[in-house]
Coordinates of all heavy atoms in Angstrom, one line a residue:
M13 N -39.3 -16.7 17.3 CA -37.9 -17.1 17.4 C -37.5 -17.1 18.9 O -37.8 -16.1 19.6 CB -37.0 -16.2 16.6 CG -35.6 -16.6 16.6 SD -34.5 -15.6 15.6 CE -35.0 -15.9 14.0
G14 N -36.9 -18.2 19.4 CA -36.6 -18.2 20.8 C -35.3 -17.4 21.1 O -34.6 -17.0 20.2
V15 N -35.2 -17.1 22.4 CA -34.1 -16.3 22.8 C -32.8 -17.0 22.5 O -31.8 -16.3 22.2 CB -34.2 -16.0 24.3 CG1 -33.0 -15.3 24.9 CG2 -35.5 -15.3 24.6
G16 N -32.7 -18.3 22.6 CA -31.5 -19.0 22.3 C -31.0 -18.8 20.9 O -29.8 -18.6 20.6
K17 N -31.9 -18.8 19.9 CA -31.6 -18.6 18.5 C -31.0 -17.2 18.3 O -30.1 -17.0 17.6 CB -32.7 -18.9 17.6 CG -33.0 -20.3 17.4 CD -34.1 -20.5 16.4 CE -34.4 -22.0 16.1 NZ -35.5 -22.1 15.1
V18 N -31.7 -16.3 18.9 CA -31.2 -14.9 18.8 C -29.8 -14.7 19.3 O -29.0 -14.1 18.7 CB -32.2 -13.9 19.5 CG1 -31.7 -12.5 19.6 CG2 -33.6 -13.9 18.8
L19 N -29.5 -15.3 20.5 CA -28.2 -15.3 21.0 C -27.2 -15.9 20.2 O -26.0 -15.4 20.0 CB -28.2 -15.8 22.5 CG -28.9 -15.0 23.5 CD1 -28.9 -15.8 24.8 CD2 -28.3 -13.7 23.7
V20 N -27.5 -17.0 19.6 CA -26.6 -17.7 18.6 C -26.3 -16.9 17.4 O -25.1 -16.7 17.0 CB -27.2 -19.1 18.3 CG1 -26.4 -19.7 17.1 CG2 -27.2 -20.1 19.4
Y21 N -27.4 -16.3 16.8 CA -27.2 -15.4 15.7 C -26.3 -14.2 16.0 O -25.4 -13.8 15.3 CB -28.5 -15.0 15.0 CG -29.2 -16.1 14.3 CD1 -30.5 -16.3 14.5 CD2 -28.5 -17.0 13.5 CE1 -31.2 -17.3 13.8 CE2 -29.1 -18.0 12.8 CZ -30.5 -18.2 13.0 OH -31.1 -19.2 12.3
A22 N -26.6 -13.6 17.2 CA -25.8 -12.4 17.6 C -24.4 -12.8 17.9 O -23.5 -12.1 17.5 CB -26.5 -11.9 18.9
G23 N -24.1 -14.0 18.4 CA -22.8 -14.4 18.7 C -22.0 -14.7 17.4 O -20.9 -14.3 17.2
L24 N -22.7 -15.3 16.4 CA -22.1 -15.5 15.1 C -21.8 -14.2 14.4 O -20.7 -14.0 13.8 CB -23.0 -16.4 14.2 CG -23.1 -17.8 14.6 CD1 -24.1 -18.5 13.7 CD2 -21.7 -18.5 14.5
F25 N -22.7 -13.3 14.5 CA -22.4 -11.9 13.9 C -21.3 -11.3 14.6 O -20.4 -10.7 13.9 CB -23.7 -11.1 14.1 CG -23.5 -9.6 13.6 CD1 -23.4 -9.3 12.3 CD2 -23.4 -8.6 14.5 CE1 -23.2 -8.0 11.8 CE2 -23.2 -7.3 14.1 CZ -23.1 -7.0 12.8
L26 N -21.2 -11.3 15.9 CA -20.0 -10.7 16.6 C -18.7 -11.4 16.3 O -17.7 -10.7 16.1 CB -20.3 -10.7 18.1 CG -21.3 -9.7 18.6 CD1 -21.6 -9.9 20.1 CD2 -21.0 -8.3 18.3
L27 N -18.8 -12.7 16.1 CA -17.6 -13.5 15.7 C -17.1 -13.0 14.3 O -15.9 -12.8 14.2 CB -17.8 -15.0 15.8 CG -16.7 -15.9 15.3 CD1 -15.6 -15.8 16.3 CD2 -17.2 -17.3 15.1
L28 N -18.0 -12.9 13.4 CA -17.6 -12.5 12.0 C -17.1 -11.1 12.0 O -16.1 -10.8 11.3 CB -18.8 -12.7 11.1 CG -19.2 -14.1 10.8 CD1 -20.5 -14.2 9.9 CD2 -18.1 -14.9 10.1
L29 N -17.8 -10.2 12.8 CA -17.3 -8.9 12.8 C -15.9 -8.8 13.5 O -15.0 -8.1 13.0 CB -18.3 -8.0 13.7 CG -18.0 -6.5 13.8 CD1 -18.0 -5.9 12.4 CD2 -19.0 -5.9 14.7
G30 N -15.7 -9.5 14.5 CA -14.4 -9.5 15.2 C -13.3 -10.0 14.3 O -12.2 -9.5 14.2
L31 N -13.6 -11.1 13.6 CA -12.6 -11.7 12.6 C -12.3 -10.7 11.5 O -11.1 -10.6 11.1 CB -13.1 -13.0 12.1 CG -13.1 -14.2 13.1 CD1 -13.7 -15.4 12.4 CD2 -11.6 -14.5 13.5
S32 N -13.3 -10.0 11.0 CA -13.1 -9.1 9.9 C -12.3 -7.9 10.4 O -11.4 -7.4 9.7 CB -14.4 -8.6 9.3 OG -15.1 -7.9 10.2
L33 N -12.5 -7.4 11.7 CA -11.7 -6.3 12.2 C -10.3 -6.8 12.5 O -9.3 -6.0 12.4 CB -12.3 -5.8 13.5 CG -13.6 -5.0 13.3 CD1 -14.2 -4.7 14.7 CD2 -13.3 -3.7 12.6
L34 N -10.1 -8.0 12.8 CA -8.8 -8.5 13.1 C -7.9 -8.7 11.9 O -6.7 -8.3 11.8 CB -8.9 -9.9 13.9 CG -7.6 -10.5 14.3 CD1 -6.9 -9.7 15.4 CD2 -7.9 -11.9 14.9
Y35 N -8.5 -9.3 10.8 CA -7.7 -9.6 9.7 C -7.8 -8.6 8.5 O -7.0 -8.6 7.6 CB -8.2 -11.0 9.1 CG -7.8 -12.1 10.0 CD1 -8.7 -12.8 10.7 CD2 -6.4 -12.4 10.2 CE1 -8.4 -13.9 11.6 CE2 -6.0 -13.4 11.1 CZ -7.0 -14.2 11.7 OH -6.7 -15.2 12.6
F36 N -8.8 -7.7 8.6 CA -9.0 -6.7 7.6 C -9.3 -5.4 8.3 O -10.4 -4.8 8.1 CB -10.2 -7.0 6.6 CG -10.0 -8.4 6.0 CD1 -10.9 -9.4 6.4 CD2 -9.1 -8.6 5.0 CE1 -10.7 -10.7 5.8 CE2 -9.0 -9.8 4.4 CZ -9.8 -10.9 4.8
P37 N -8.3 -4.8 9.0 CA -8.6 -3.6 9.8 C -8.9 -2.4 8.9 O -9.6 -1.5 9.3 CB -7.2 -3.4 10.5 CG -6.2 -4.1 9.8 CD -6.9 -5.3 9.1
K38 N -8.4 -2.3 7.6 CA -8.7 -1.2 6.8 C -10.1 -1.2 6.2 O -10.5 -0.2 5.7 CB -7.6 -1.1 5.7 CG -6.2 -0.8 6.1 CD -5.3 -0.6 5.0 CE -3.9 -0.2 5.6 NZ -3.0 0.1 4.6
L39 N -10.8 -2.3 6.4 CA -12.1 -2.4 5.9 C -13.1 -1.4 6.6 O -14.0 -0.9 6.0 CB -12.6 -3.9 6.1 CG -14.0 -4.2 5.5 CD1 -13.9 -4.1 4.0 CD2 -14.4 -5.6 5.9
F40 N -12.8 -1.2 7.9 CA -13.6 -0.3 8.6 C -12.9 0.9 9.1 O -13.2 1.6 10.1 CB -14.2 -1.0 9.9 CG -15.1 -2.1 9.5 CD1 -14.7 -3.5 9.7 CD2 -16.4 -1.9 9.1 CE1 -15.5 -4.5 9.4 CE2 -17.2 -3.0 8.8 CZ -16.8 -4.3 9.0
A41 N -11.8 1.3 8.3 CA -11.0 2.5 8.7 C -11.9 3.8 8.6 O -11.6 4.8 9.2 CB -9.8 2.6 7.9
W42 N -12.9 3.8 7.8 CA -13.7 5.0 7.5 C -14.6 5.3 8.7 O -15.1 6.4 8.9 CB -14.6 4.8 6.3 CG -15.4 3.6 6.4 CD1 -15.1 2.3 5.9 CD2 -16.7 3.4 7.0 NE1 -16.1 1.4 6.2 CE2 -17.1 2.1 6.8 CE3 -17.6 4.3 7.6 CZ2 -18.3 1.6 7.3 CZ3 -18.8 3.8 8.1 CH2 -19.2 2.5 7.9
F43 N -14.9 4.3 9.6 CA -15.8 4.4 10.7 C -15.2 5.4 11.7 O -14.1 5.3 12.2 CB -16.1 3.1 11.4 CG -17.2 3.2 12.4 CD1 -18.5 3.2 11.9 CD2 -16.9 3.3 13.7 CE1 -19.5 3.3 12.8 CE2 -18.0 3.3 14.6 CZ -19.3 3.4 14.2
G44 N -15.9 6.5 12.0 CA -15.4 7.5 12.9 C -14.8 8.7 12.2 O -14.4 9.6 12.8
H45 N -14.7 8.6 10.9 CA -14.1 9.7 10.1 C -15.0 10.2 9.0 O -14.5 10.8 8.0 CB -12.8 9.2 9.4 CG -11.7 8.7 10.4 ND1 -11.0 9.6 11.2 CD2 -11.4 7.4 10.8 CE1 -10.2 8.9 11.9 NE2 -10.4 7.6 11.7
L46 N -16.3 10.0 9.2 CA -17.3 10.6 8.2 C -17.5 12.0 8.5 O -17.3 12.5 9.6 CB -18.6 9.8 8.4 CG -18.5 8.3 8.0 CD1 -19.8 7.6 8.3 CD2 -18.2 8.1 6.5
P47 N -18.0 12.7 7.4 CA -18.4 14.1 7.7 C -19.6 14.1 8.7 O -20.5 13.3 8.6 CB -19.0 14.6 6.3 CG -18.4 13.6 5.3 CD -18.2 12.3 6.0
G48 N -19.5 15.0 9.7 CA -20.4 15.0 10.8 C -19.9 14.4 12.0 O -20.5 14.6 13.1
D49 N -18.9 13.6 12.0 CA -18.2 13.1 13.2 C -17.4 14.2 13.8 O -16.6 14.9 13.1 CB -17.4 11.9 12.8 CG -18.2 10.7 12.4 OD1 -19.4 10.7 12.7 OD2 -17.7 9.8 11.8
I50 N -17.5 14.4 15.0 CA -16.8 15.5 15.7 C -15.5 14.9 16.3 O -15.5 13.9 17.0 CB -17.6 16.1 16.8 CG1 -18.9 16.7 16.2 CG2 -16.8 17.2 17.6 CD1 -19.9 17.2 17.2
R51 N -14.4 15.5 15.9 CA -13.0 15.2 16.4 C -12.3 16.4 16.9 O -12.1 17.4 16.2 CB -12.2 14.6 15.3 CG -12.7 13.2 14.8 CD -11.9 12.8 13.6 NE -10.5 12.8 13.9 CZ -9.7 11.8 13.7 NH1 -10.2 10.7 13.2 NH2 -8.4 11.9 14.0
I52 N -12.0 16.4 18.2 CA -11.3 17.5 18.8 C -10.0 17.0 19.3 O -9.9 16.1 20.2 CB -12.1 18.1 20.0 CG1 -13.4 18.7 19.5 CG2 -11.3 19.2 20.6 CD1 -14.3 19.1 20.6
E53 N -8.9 17.4 18.7 CA -7.5 17.0 19.1 C -6.7 18.2 19.5 O -6.4 19.1 18.7 CB -6.9 16.3 17.9 CG -7.6 15.0 17.6 CD -6.9 14.2 16.5 OE1 -5.7 14.4 16.3 OE2 -7.5 13.4 15.9
R54 N -6.4 18.2 20.7 CA -5.5 19.3 21.3 C -4.4 18.7 22.1 O -4.5 17.5 22.3 CB -6.3 20.3 22.1 CG -7.3 21.0 21.3 CD -8.0 22.1 22.2 NE -9.0 22.7 21.4 CZ -10.2 23.2 21.8 NH1 -10.4 23.2 23.1 NH2 -11.0 23.8 21.0
E55 N -3.5 19.5 22.5 CA -2.4 18.9 23.3 C -2.9 18.4 24.6 O -3.5 19.1 25.4 CB -1.4 20.0 23.6 CG -0.1 19.5 24.3 CD 0.9 20.6 24.4 OE1 1.0 21.5 23.6 OE2 1.6 20.6 25.5
G56 N -2.7 17.1 24.8 CA -3.2 16.4 26.0 C -4.7 16.1 26.0 O -5.2 15.6 27.0
L57 N -5.4 16.3 24.9 CA -6.8 16.0 24.9 C -7.3 15.5 23.5 O -6.9 16.1 22.5 CB -7.6 17.3 25.1 CG -9.1 17.2 25.1 CD1 -9.7 16.4 26.2 CD2 -9.7 18.6 25.1
R58 N -8.0 14.4 23.5 CA -8.6 13.9 22.3 C -10.0 13.5 22.6 O -10.3 12.7 23.5 CB -7.9 12.6 21.8 CG -6.5 12.9 21.2 CD -6.0 11.6 20.6 NE -4.7 11.9 20.1 CZ -3.9 11.0 19.6 NH1 -4.3 9.7 19.5 NH2 -2.7 11.3 19.1
V59 N -10.9 14.1 21.8 CA -12.4 13.8 22.0 C -12.9 13.4 20.6 O -12.8 14.1 19.6 CB -13.1 15.0 22.5 CG1 -14.6 14.7 22.6 CG2 -12.5 15.5 23.8
Y60 N -13.6 12.2 20.6 CA -14.2 11.7 19.4 C -15.7 11.5 19.7 O -16.1 10.8 20.6 CB -13.6 10.4 18.9 CG -12.2 10.4 18.6 CD1 -11.2 9.8 19.4 CD2 -11.7 11.0 17.4 CE1 -9.9 9.8 19.1 CE2 -10.4 11.0 17.1 CZ -9.5 10.5 18.0 OH -8.2 10.5 17.7
I61 N -16.5 12.2 18.9 CA -18.0 12.0 19.0 C -18.5 11.6 17.6 O -18.7 12.5 16.7 CB -18.6 13.3 19.4 CG1 -18.0 13.8 20.8 CG2 -20.1 13.1 19.6 CD1 -18.5 15.1 21.2
P62 N -18.6 10.3 17.3 CA -19.0 9.9 16.0 C -20.5 9.9 15.7 O -21.2 8.9 15.7 CB -18.4 8.4 15.9 CG -18.5 8.0 17.4 CD -18.2 9.2 18.2
L63 N -21.0 11.1 15.5 CA -22.5 11.3 15.3 C -23.0 10.6 14.0 O -23.9 9.8 14.1 CB -22.8 12.7 15.3 CG -22.7 13.5 16.6 CD1 -22.9 15.0 16.4 CD2 -23.6 13.0 17.7
T64 N -22.3 10.9 12.9 CA -22.8 10.4 11.7 C -22.6 8.8 11.6 O -23.4 8.1 11.1 CB -22.0 11.0 10.5 OG1 -22.2 12.4 10.6 CG2 -22.5 10.6 9.2
S65 N -21.4 8.4 12.1 CA -21.1 6.9 12.1 C -22.2 6.2 13.0 O -22.6 5.1 12.6 CB -19.7 6.7 12.7 OG -18.8 7.3 11.8
A66 N -22.5 6.8 14.1 CA -23.5 6.2 15.0 C -24.9 6.1 14.3 O -25.6 5.1 14.5 CB -23.6 6.9 16.3
L67 N -25.3 7.2 13.6 CA -26.5 7.2 12.9 C -26.5 6.1 11.8 O -27.5 5.4 11.6 CB -26.8 8.5 12.3 CG -27.2 9.6 13.3 CD1 -27.3 11.0 12.7 CD2 -28.6 9.3 14.0
L68 N -25.4 6.0 11.1 CA -25.3 5.0 10.0 C -25.4 3.6 10.6 O -26.1 2.7 10.1 CB -24.0 5.2 9.2 CG -23.8 4.3 8.1 CD1 -24.9 4.5 7.0 CD2 -22.4 4.5 7.5
L69 N -24.7 3.3 11.7 CA -24.7 2.0 12.3 C -26.1 1.7 12.8 O -26.6 0.6 12.7 CB -23.7 2.0 13.4 CG -23.5 0.7 14.2 CD1 -23.0 -0.4 13.3 CD2 -22.6 0.9 15.4
S70 N -26.8 2.7 13.4 CA -28.2 2.5 13.9 C -29.1 2.1 12.7 O -29.9 1.2 12.9 CB -28.6 3.7 14.6 OG -30.0 3.6 15.0
L71 N -29.0 2.8 11.6 CA -29.8 2.5 10.5 C -29.5 1.1 9.9 O -30.5 0.3 9.6 CB -29.5 3.5 9.4 CG -30.3 3.3 8.0 CD1 -31.7 3.6 8.2 CD2 -29.7 4.3 7.0
L72 N -28.3 0.7 9.8 CA -27.9 -0.6 9.3 C -28.4 -1.7 10.3 O -29.0 -2.7 9.8 CB -26.4 -0.8 9.1 CG -25.8 0.0 7.9 CD1 -24.3 -0.1 8.0 CD2 -26.4 -0.5 6.7
L73 N -28.3 -1.5 11.6 CA -28.8 -2.5 12.5 C -30.3 -2.6 12.5 O -30.8 -3.7 12.6 CB -28.2 -2.2 13.9 CG -26.8 -2.5 14.2 CD1 -26.4 -2.0 15.5 CD2 -26.4 -3.9 14.0
T74 N -31.0 -1.5 12.4 CA -32.4 -1.5 12.3 C -32.9 -2.3 11.1 O -33.8 -3.1 11.1 CB -33.0 0.0 12.3 OG1 -32.5 0.6 13.4 CG2 -34.5 0.0 12.2
L75 N -32.2 -2.0 9.9 CA -32.6 -2.8 8.7 C -32.4 -4.3 8.9 O -33.2 -5.1 8.5 CB -31.9 -2.2 7.5 CG -32.2 -0.8 7.1 CD1 -31.3 -0.3 6.0 CD2 -33.7 -0.8 6.6
L76 N -31.2 -4.6 9.4 CA -30.9 -6.0 9.6 C -31.9 -6.7 10.6 O -32.4 -7.8 10.3 CB -29.5 -6.2 10.2 CG -28.4 -6.1 9.1 CD1 -27.0 -6.1 9.9 CD2 -28.5 -7.2 8.1
L77 N -32.2 -6.1 11.7 CA -33.1 -6.7 12.6 C -34.5 -6.8 12.1 O -35.3 -7.8 12.3 CB -33.2 -5.8 13.9 CG -31.9 -5.9 14.8 CD1 -32.0 -5.0 16.0 CD2 -31.7 -7.4 15.3
N78 N -34.9 -5.8 11.2 CA -36.2 -6.0 10.6 C -36.3 -7.1 9.6 O -37.3 -7.7 9.4 CB -36.7 -4.6 9.9 CG -37.2 -3.6 10.9 OD1 -37.7 -4.0 11.9 ND2 -36.9 -2.4 10.7
L79 N -35.2 -7.3 8.9 CA -35.1 -8.5 8.0 C -35.2 -9.8 8.7 O -35.8 -10.8 8.2 CB -33.8 -8.4 7.2 CG -33.7 -7.4 6.1 CD1 -32.4 -7.4 5.4 CD2 -34.8 -7.7 5.0
F80 N -34.5 -9.9 9.9 CA -34.6 -11.2 10.6 C -35.9 -11.4 11.3 O -36.3 -12.5 11.5 CB -33.5 -11.2 11.7 CG -32.1 -11.5 11.2 CD1 -31.1 -10.6 11.4 CD2 -31.9 -12.7 10.5 CE1 -29.8 -10.9 10.9 CE2 -30.7 -13.0 10.0 CZ -29.6 -12.1 10.2
R81 N -36.7 -10.3 11.6 CA -38.0 -10.5 12.1 C -39.0 -11.1 11.2 O -39.9 -11.8 11.5 CB -38.6 -9.1 12.6 CG -38.1 -8.7 13.9 CD -38.8 -7.4 14.3 NE -38.9 -7.2 15.7 CZ -39.5 -6.2 16.3 NH1 -40.0 -5.3 15.5 NH2 -39.5 -6.1 17.5
R82 N -38.9 -10.8 9.9 CA -39.8 -11.2 8.9 C -39.5 -12.5 8.4 O -39.2 -13.5 8.3 CB -39.8 -10.2 7.7 CG -40.4 -8.9 8.2 CD -40.3 -7.9 7.1 NE -40.6 -6.6 7.6 CZ -41.4 -5.7 7.0 NH1 -41.9 -6.0 5.9 NH2 -41.6 -4.6 7.6

């Protein structure tokens, strides 16, 4: 598969993701709030470390990329 096709598919994916976030914001409201995600909120300080969400996203992207390779 050429680099051009990969860029087109990536662009379409990002477009669909952006549109879904724009028109359906509650669809991804769970992202960053899973068990295992670290949230520290104090006066004047907010720290978010989405460990579980990042692992889940990495797993999904790995599966999708492996499907496109075959």
Side-chain angles (χ1 to χ4, degrees):
M13 184 180 291
V15 175
K17 284 186 179 181
V18 171
L19 289 175
V20 168
Y21 288 136
L24 288 174
F25 174 74
L26 288 175
L27 176 69
L28 291 175
L29 181 63
L31 288 174
S32 65
L33 287 173
L34 182 64
Y35 292 112
F36 306 106
K38 291 187 179 183
L39 186 64
F40 296 104
W42 55 269
F43 190 77
H45 299 284
L46 294 174
D49 291 342
I50 299 171
R51 296 174 49 128
I52 301 171
E53 296 184 20
R54 295 186 182 149
E55 188 176 324
L57 175 70
R58 286 186 183 177
V59 178
Y60 298 108
I61 306 172
L63 293 175
T64 307
S65 297
L67 287 172
L68 181 63
L69 183 63
S70 175
L71 177 68
L72 289 174
L73 288 175
T74 301
L75 291 174
L76 282 174
L77 290 174
N78 282 330
L79 284 175
F80 282 121
R81 275 185 158 180
R82 295 176 189 223

